[in-house]
Amino acid sequence: MTMFRMGEAAELLGVSADTVRRWVDAGRLAAGRQGHRVIDGVALAAFVRTQAGDPDDRADESSARNRLRGIVTAVRKDAVMAQVDIQAGPFRVVSLMSREAVDDLGLSVGSVAIAVIKSTTVVVERPPTGAGRSNGS
């Protein structure tokens, strides 16, 4: 069973450790004790699922379920193509598209955009040992 310290849970959720402590103290997130307060990985996953929401109201109009709302941090354009960088929480998403698409969407640094990701390949890796405590494995 994977157990997370408060700081580890906070890092995974992109919030401060104080926010996680407040959620635990308010009874919104269950925590146990192993010398210090820890959160069971299954409980953390269930909590995250209850907090998740669609970044926009168009999610039911598309089969793509990976939608990350963020702010455009860079736009690089040449005569035909463009690169758009979006910061969505702790994640940087880079999209290559036509210059025409960037112009049509009116994308510029500081504008809000939603990165919609539909992929046939998603690579899943395990973090280095020590990221998330595991009992008995």
Side-chain angles (χ1 to χ4, degrees):
M1 175 185 331
T2 302
M3 303 298 283
F4 296 96
R5 292 180 182 209
M6 298 288 227
E8 292 171 326
E11 183 179 341
L12 287 170
L13 300 178
V15 298
S16 71
D18 286 337
T19 297
V20 174
R21 281 188 198 90
R22 282 193 297 274
W23 288 338
V24 168
D25 292 343
R28 293 180 58 197
L29 180 59
R33 286 220 172 255
Q34 290 183 353
H36 51 273
R37 290 198 286 187
V38 293
I39 301 166
D40 172 67
V42 174
L44 185 60
F47 176 77
V48 169
R49 277 192 305 273
T50 66
Q51 301 304 302
D54 292 326
D56 64 24
D57 57 359
R58 296 182 54 204
D60 60 347
E61 298 172 9
S62 173
S63 64
R65 295 294 176 239
N66 302 307
R67 306 171 73 83
L68 304 174
R69 185 173 192 267
I71 187 167
V72 175
T73 57
V75 177
R76 294 171 196 84
K77 299 190 275 188
D78 66 18
V80 177
M81 295 300 294
Q83 176 180 320
V84 177
D85 294 19
I86 299 171
Q87 192 68 36
F91 305 105
R92 176 178 173 238
V93 179
V94 178
S95 178
L96 302 177
M97 64 184 80
S98 70
R99 178 189 178 115
E100 180 182 13
V102 169
D103 293 342
D104 287 350
L105 291 169
L107 296 176
S108 62
V109 172
S111 62
V112 174
I114 299 169
V116 181
I117 303 160
K118 180 80 173 188
S119 177
T120 57
T121 303
V122 176
V123 177
V124 177
E125 298 178 342
R126 299 230 13 187
T129 306
R133 307 294 187 261
S134 183
N135 293 339
S137 48

